[in-house]
Amino acid sequence: MLKTKGKAVNVGQSIVAKVTRDLHNRADNCVLVCEDYYPENLMGFKALVTNLDIPELAYSIPFVHQVQNLTHLQEGDVLAIHSSGLINSLYRTSSNQNFILVTERCNSNCLMCSQPPKDREDIFDLHQIHRQLIPLILKDCSGLGITGGEPTLMGNLFYEMLEQLQIELPDTEIHCLTNGRSFAWKNMADRLGALNYDKLMLGIPLYSDYYAEHDYIVQAKDAFNQTIQGLYNLASNNVRIEIRVVLQKQSIPRLTKLAKYIYKNLPFAEHITFMGLENQGYTPFNKEKLWIDPVNYMDELGEAVEFLSGKNMNVSIYNSQLCLMPQNLWRYSRKSISDWKNIYLPECTQCGLVEACGGLFASAEKMHSDFIKAL
């Protein structure tokens, strides 16, 4: 999530509003963004954001001044302005990878979690922000993500949010990341099924066909059984499902067995994706348990992917680089890394396939394959 910061004046509760740089667009849901100037009259605007240092008594409406960076704020973007002076970009019109972070709490504690859970009560406050955000998102938004933490910990607010999305953005594909464990309780899955939300897909991780290994990776007792029961409960309610497998040292030895387990036991999965490791959050601290150079698992990955593809299942490879894969796997590779944390190494600038390659996470500067090369 992109963010910047300045000094806030007259900001109490968090303000959610659209960006405009047009002095004539005086809508009450707009925040005026000004670089190197500020106007005398702000009537009609919800707030002002500027890089200049202006007197605290200059305006009666909320404003944030001395903001460090404004270049990423574009017309129509949606911001949350906080009393601390922090400005979060909640929605960016130029991006196809917008998401809603609904909580940082989680009931798992995965070894490779890129955003380690925080045990604090943030659900209600974030929900109040997102209730204001959703009506401001462009109606032609093609896709939107929901992530955490674990979104189902929102309880009733989870379903309230989905109902609002159905109403405000009926044509937008919604992709929700969840560990799926809460749906082991049938009433949770039944309530989701009752929404008949055909634009919603749940992305649910499964790291092994063996319960003890999955439970170890997610650091939660009985997580495998809960996830599998949740998947069956969701399938019985016709909820769209994606299975996500992170490629790391713990999951590689049984990768082909997991692929066969998915085919035999989870044939209703609409999509299966194998995902490269992100060097963020817990991963650097668990490097010895997790890191394996991708070139060293290509045989296992290829066998798993081509088995599923051969069974007419929809399968993809995320967060991986073409130069590390055999050519027969290139057709499964997707450009999946969010634009704001996507980089290419110096070697990549000489590569003839750089436009087709998904590149790397920004965190990969400190940990990446020794075999990255230009093709």
Side-chain angles (χ1 to χ4, degrees):
M1 181 184 295
L2 292 177
K3 59 184 68 176
T4 188
K5 192 171 185 179
K7 293 185 177 180
V9 180
N10 303 327
V11 180
Q13 292 184 331
S14 297
I15 297 167
V16 178
K18 278 189 172 184
V19 168
T20 185
R21 293 175 179 266
D22 182 358
L23 272 171
H24 302 291
N25 186 16
R26 294 176 181 264
D28 60 5
N29 64 358
C30 285
V31 52
L32 180 65
V33 176
C34 299
E35 293 187 73
D36 301 324
Y37 82 98
Y38 57 95
E40 293 183 7
N41 181 6
L42 287 176
M43 185 178 296
F45 292 113
K46 200 167 187 177
L48 168 72
V49 171
T50 179
N51 60 332
L52 297 179
D53 181 9
I54 61 179
E56 293 197 358
L57 297 178
Y59 303 110
S60 59
I61 72 165
F63 65 92
V64 184
H65 62 137
Q66 299 183 53
V67 179
Q68 299 162 359
N69 181 23
L70 297 173
T71 56
H72 62 286
L73 302 182
Q74 299 182 17
E75 194 77 18
D77 288 359
V78 184
L79 307 179
I81 301 172
H82 306 285
S83 59
S84 63
L86 183 66
I87 302 171
N88 289 330
S89 293
L90 301 178
Y91 175 80
R92 293 183 296 136
T93 57
S94 62
S95 176
N96 293 319
Q97 296 159 327
N98 287 292
F99 64 90
I100 297 174
L101 175 67
V102 296
T103 182
E104 293 188 83
R105 295 176 59 204
C106 193
N107 54 349
S108 294
N109 201 29
C110 300
L111 292 175
M112 63 290 178
C113 182
S114 60
Q115 186 164 325
K118 296 178 181 177
D119 188 17
R120 64 186 184 195
E121 188 49 67
D122 59 358
I123 288 172
F124 181 78
D125 288 344
L126 287 173
H127 182 64
Q128 295 309 305
I129 287 173
H130 297 138
R131 283 181 63 189
Q132 299 172 72
L133 161 68
I134 291 169
L136 299 179
I137 294 174
L138 294 176
K139 301 305 180 187
D140 63 356
C141 173
S142 60
L144 185 66
I146 299 171
T147 188
E150 172 49 44
T152 60
L153 296 183
M154 296 173 70
N156 289 332
L157 297 181
F158 177 65
Y159 302 98
E160 182 181 307
M161 176 184 62
L162 293 178
E163 289 171 345
Q164 186 184 20
L165 286 166
Q166 273 186 300
I167 293 168
E168 297 286 350
L169 299 168
D171 299 320
T172 301
E173 293 286 341
I174 305 296
H175 191 274
C176 178
L177 299 180
T178 168
N179 58 42
R181 293 171 57 193
S182 296
F183 298 109
W185 284 265
K186 190 171 181 297
N187 64 308
M188 292 283 288
D190 290 348
R191 186 168 176 186
L192 185 58
L195 294 178
N196 294 313
Y197 200 171
D198 62 358
K199 294 292 185 180
L200 173 68
M201 177 184 282
L202 301 185
I204 297 177
L206 188 64
Y207 300 128
S208 178
D209 62 309
Y210 177 46
Y211 79 95
E213 189 166 71
H214 178 91
D215 288 2
Y216 172 70
I217 293 171
V218 305
Q219 295 287 287
K221 188 179 184 323
D222 210 30
F224 178 86
N225 291 330
Q226 290 172 358
T227 297
I228 296 301
Q229 185 60 59
L231 287 165
Y232 284 133
N233 288 341
L234 290 165
S236 69
N237 279 280
N238 298 313
V239 176
R240 298 168 62 201
I241 292 166
E242 173 189 75
I243 302 295
R244 299 165 71 88
V245 184
V246 175
L247 299 164
Q248 37 92 358
K249 191 182 292 185
Q250 302 296 324
S251 61
I252 294 302
R254 298 184 67 92
L255 201 62
T256 302
K257 291 181 179 179
L258 174 58
K260 292 178 178 179
Y261 180 91
I262 291 170
Y263 169 67
K264 182 178 180 180
N265 297 284
L266 308 171
F268 46 78
E270 187 173 321
H271 185 217
I272 303 101
T273 179
F274 295 88
M275 310 177 66
L277 190 65
E278 183 175 6
N279 186 36
Q280 189 75 20
Y282 284 153
T283 298
F285 301 98
N286 291 319
K287 180 179 177 180
E288 295 304 314
K289 295 177 181 177
L290 299 172
W291 173 247
I292 177 172
D293 194 303
V295 298
N296 294 326
Y297 62 60
M298 282 300 148
D299 287 346
E300 292 90 341
L301 177 60
E303 188 174 353
V305 166
E306 297 208 308
F307 170 81
L308 289 168
S309 179
K311 298 298 185 180
N312 295 317
M313 299 195 81
N314 181 24
V315 59
S316 299
I317 300 172
Y318 285 0
N319 313 341
S320 296
Q321 298 78 51
L322 294 179
C323 60
L324 305 181
M325 300 183 208
Q327 286 193 30
N328 63 300
L329 296 184
W330 286 3
R331 65 191 181 105
Y332 303 106
S333 179
R334 309 287 180 259
K335 299 182 73 169
S336 55
I337 299 173
S338 298
D339 53 8
W340 55 277
K341 57 179 177 180
N342 190 195
I343 65 164
Y344 293 86
L345 298 177
E347 300 94 315
C348 304
T349 61
Q350 306 301 315
C351 182
L353 294 176
V354 67
E355 293 299 323
C357 182
L360 302 92
F361 289 107
S363 58
E365 282 189 311
K366 297 181 180 178
M367 186 180 79
H368 58 262
S369 172
D370 294 330
F371 300 89
I372 299 286
K373 62 182 182 295
L375 297 176

